[in-house]
Amino acid sequence: MLSQVAEDYLKAIYKRQAFGRVSTNDLADAMGVSSATVTNMLKRLAQMELVDHVSYKGAVLTEAGNLVALEIIRHHRLLETFLKNVMGFSWHEMHREAERLEHHISEEFEERIDEMLGFPTHDPHGHPIPTKAGHIAPSPTTTLADLAAGDEAIIHHVADGDPDFLEYIEGEGLMPDTRVRIDEQGLSVGRVTLSLADGPRVIDTDTAQRIFVALT
């Protein structure tokens, strides 16, 4: 049995390894611990054959490590969907609750939630839910910050790691499946002006970079 902390490490590596090995410093920042603590955990995970760790070069997950990480992500995203659709939690509330619960549900509980929800493919933030076999659908990598004035798009998913960010964009109505048009791409001044069905919005560049879209 893996500890909750070990599972959090595997999930953190999975989310950062798309472009290669994840550095110790990056993991330390993500986990809020010292580099020495990260190194010790990586050595333990490497002994369990869940991580391929090379000193001073970083770490990537092994096939076994990927499967564990995807299982935890599946738990998290199913729980978020249940908390939102069944229990009425807000975006930022459901993320916090799912973080607490994702390590503690049984496989039977996971299967029953999945069936109750009608076997959803995406969570409320727009992220794909991994299958039980460990398959996960690709997601767009284009953000609002990448678009030009006049472009139209539909929000596909949003970064979900910061509850304050989620609360802000929920209040602005910048949720998945929302259609937007870029009115002014003001990256040089740190803001983007866009239009929604109910009126204009002005958001900062950091926010725009965390909202992923599909062009229409």
Side-chain angles (χ1 to χ4, degrees):
M1 292 290 292
L2 286 173
S3 68
Q4 177 175 328
V5 173
E7 290 178 346
D8 282 340
Y9 270 88
L10 295 178
K11 187 171 72 169
I13 296 170
Y14 177 85
K15 290 183 175 181
R16 291 164 176 79
Q17 67 179 7
F19 301 104
R21 290 181 177 274
V22 182
S23 73
T24 300
N25 288 338
D26 284 347
L27 271 179
D29 289 341
M31 302 301 295
V33 297
S34 69
S35 295
T37 299
V38 170
T39 298
N40 289 334
M41 176 58 77
L42 291 178
K43 288 178 179 177
R44 287 159 55 190
L45 294 172
Q47 290 172 352
M48 301 169 72
E49 300 184 346
L50 297 172
V51 165
D52 177 6
H53 174 232
V54 178
S55 296
Y56 305 109
K57 293 186 178 180
V60 294
L61 300 182
T62 63
E63 183 176 351
N66 266 309
L67 287 174
V68 174
L70 285 168
E71 181 180 15
I72 300 304
I73 292 169
R74 174 176 168 81
H75 288 180
H76 181 95
R77 293 178 179 174
L78 281 172
L79 284 164
E80 284 192 327
T81 307
F82 179 81
L83 290 165
K84 178 71 168 119
N85 294 359
V86 177
M87 301 188 70
F89 277 66
S90 68
W91 270 22
H92 63 289
E93 290 171 334
M94 72 185 182
H95 181 73
R96 288 191 179 104
E97 290 298 324
E99 285 284 314
R100 297 185 184 104
L101 296 170
E102 64 188 22
H103 305 282
H104 306 296
I105 66 172
S106 67
E107 296 309 301
E108 181 181 3
F109 189 86
E110 172 206 309
E111 290 173 5
R112 292 197 179 190
I113 286 182
D114 194 22
E115 182 178 5
M116 179 185 295
L117 294 169
F119 307 103
T121 60
H122 290 74
D123 72 12
H125 299 125
H127 297 102
I129 299 173
T131 67
K132 284 189 66 65
H135 301 299
I136 187 166
S139 292
T141 57
T142 302
T143 73
L144 284 177
D146 299 321
L147 305 186
D151 284 344
E152 295 187 3
I154 294 176
I155 296 175
H156 181 274
H157 67 281
V158 300
D160 65 353
D162 180 354
D164 292 333
F165 170 75
L166 293 174
E167 184 174 16
Y168 168 70
I169 60 172
E170 183 178 24
E172 292 293 321
L174 298 170
M175 297 175 284
D177 298 324
T178 300
R179 183 178 293 273
V180 300
R181 185 185 73 242
I182 302 298
D183 294 329
E184 181 183 356
Q185 187 61 276
L187 296 182
S188 61
V189 292
R191 66 172 180 265
V192 179
T193 305
L194 55 147
S195 291
L196 278 63
D198 63 349
R201 302 286 192 280
V202 178
I203 59 175
D204 61 41
T205 301
D206 179 65
T207 297
Q209 290 172 336
R210 292 192 276 174
I211 299 176
F212 297 82
V213 299
L215 286 168
T216 60

